[in-house]
Amino acid sequence: MIECSPSVIVNDDEPGYDLDVYCIPNRYAEDLEKVFILHGLIMDRTERLARDVMKEMGGHHIVALCVLKGGYKFFADLLDYIKALKRNSDRSIPMTVDFSRLKSYCNDQSTGDIKVIGGDDLSTLTGKNVLIVEDIIDAGRTVQTLLSLVKQHNPQMLKVASLPVKRTPQSAACRPDFVGFEIPDRFVVGYALDYNDYFKDLNRVCVISETGKGKYQA
């Protein structure tokens, strides 16, 4: 993962967007600080990432490996754009999907203990172009664990896509090949990113408030 595509940089002093001007469920009114990334921006950026993925990986059978649970929205939208590109292409490249589930968080802190709690037989990835689709990368331990597992099965090509990547010292050492947004080190939710399984239903990426952290603490 040396040559990486450019990303959209969200600065540390980014003010975000006022919650009052968007449709935020009433139950979350006190639980969020601000809207951080708008849904339209997410979709536009995902469409461009799909083009980058096809340019880099579209010459051979692609297996898209979704990291559950937080990655499913980004995964689904990214694949929809990739499929659209395939339909308008002269090339007929097979693409299949697979799923893996890893857990590393308790509340808003990474435990450092990566648990693989789901997923199919990774031997099916041998000889394929494998695209790991992550929800978010901060410390990078989850993706490093999954990369080491996939590499044992000798894929032809192995790349990683993540919608947001937090600007942390740890993430700098494991930057994905395809990055949607580089964001400050804030705990964000929405667009399937969760806090103890809450906030997945938001279609925008938002910053959780201290009130929200306390209310939904495990």
Side-chain angles (χ1 to χ4, degrees), residues 185-204:
D185 189 10
R186 305 291 303 277
F187 198 92
V188 293
V189 294
Y191 193 66
L193 298 171
D194 73 290
Y195 178 80
N196 293 331
D197 284 333
Y198 290 93
F199 304 102
K200 291 179 182 180
D201 50 335
L202 296 171
N203 67 357
R204 306 168 184 87

Side-chain angles (χ1 to χ4, degrees), residues 4-93:
C4 304
S5 65
S7 61
V8 176
I9 307 297
V10 180
N11 294 323
D12 289 344
D13 57 355
E14 169 61 45
Y17 304 89
D18 197 318
L19 298 173
D20 293 337
V21 297
Y22 296 99
C23 294
I24 303 297
N26 289 334
R27 62 184 174 280
Y28 294 145
E30 303 299 323
D31 305 328
L32 302 169
E33 286 185 13
K34 55 188 174 183
V35 176
F36 217 34
I37 307 175
L38 298 174
H39 183 256
L41 293 175
I42 293 171
M43 299 305 292
D44 198 15
R45 185 73 187 116
T46 303
E47 183 177 11
R48 176 53 195 261
L49 289 178
R51 190 189 308 174
D52 294 343
V53 167
M54 284 299 292
K55 181 179 179 181
E56 182 77 14
M57 306 183 70
H60 187 61
H61 187 147
I62 298 174
V63 178
L65 178 60
C66 177
V67 180
L68 297 171
K69 300 180 182 178
Y72 77 87
K73 278 285 292 177
F74 176 46
F75 182 80
D77 289 335
L78 181 65
L79 260 62
D80 281 345
Y81 283 124
I82 290 175
K83 290 174 185 176
L85 290 170
K86 282 164 53 67
R87 285 194 298 269
N88 296 310
S89 172
D90 294 332
R91 296 178 297 175
S92 180
I93 304 300

Side-chain angles (χ1 to χ4, degrees), residues 28-190:
Y28 294 145
E30 303 299 323
D31 305 328
L32 302 169
E33 286 185 13
K34 55 188 174 183
V35 176
F36 217 34
I37 307 175
L38 298 174
H39 183 256
L41 293 175
I42 293 171
M43 299 305 292
D44 198 15
R45 185 73 187 116
T46 303
E47 183 177 11
R48 176 53 195 261
L49 289 178
R51 190 189 308 174
D52 294 343
V53 167
M54 284 299 292
K55 181 179 179 181
E56 182 77 14
M57 306 183 70
H60 187 61
H61 187 147
I62 298 174
V63 178
L65 178 60
C66 177
V67 180
L68 297 171
K69 300 180 182 178
Y72 77 87
K73 278 285 292 177
F74 176 46
F75 182 80
D77 289 335
L78 181 65
L79 260 62
D80 281 345
Y81 283 124
I82 290 175
K83 290 174 185 176
L85 290 170
K86 282 164 53 67
R87 285 194 298 269
N88 296 310
S89 172
D90 294 332
R91 296 178 297 175
S92 180
I93 304 300
M95 183 174 69
T96 53
V97 300
D98 206 342
F99 300 90
S100 183
R101 188 176 175 196
L102 298 91
K103 184 175 178 64
S104 64
Y105 263 83
C106 180
N107 297 321
D108 63 341
Q109 298 295 318
S110 175
T111 63
D113 180 21
I114 311 299
K115 297 179 180 178
V116 181
I117 53 178
D120 295 331
D121 181 8
L122 296 180
S123 65
T124 59
L125 305 180
T126 301
K128 309 294 197 315
N129 283 357
V130 179
L131 176 67
I132 295 174
V133 182
E134 263 276 22
D135 54 353
I136 188 169
I137 291 178
D138 44 23
R141 297 187 187 95
T142 301
V143 72
Q144 287 177 333
T145 297
L146 189 53
L147 280 169
S148 65
L149 291 173
V150 173
K151 285 177 181 177
Q152 295 174 16
H153 299 283
N154 301 313
Q156 176 167 302
M157 182 186 293
L158 180 57
K159 302 287 184 180
V160 177
S162 179
L163 184 67
V165 171
K166 291 185 184 179
R167 244 183 335 270
T168 67
Q170 296 90 343
S171 69
C174 59
R175 188 175 177 84
D177 306 276
F178 308 103
V179 179
F181 301 88
E182 181 185 299
I183 66 173
D185 189 10
R186 305 291 303 277
F187 198 92
V188 293
V189 294

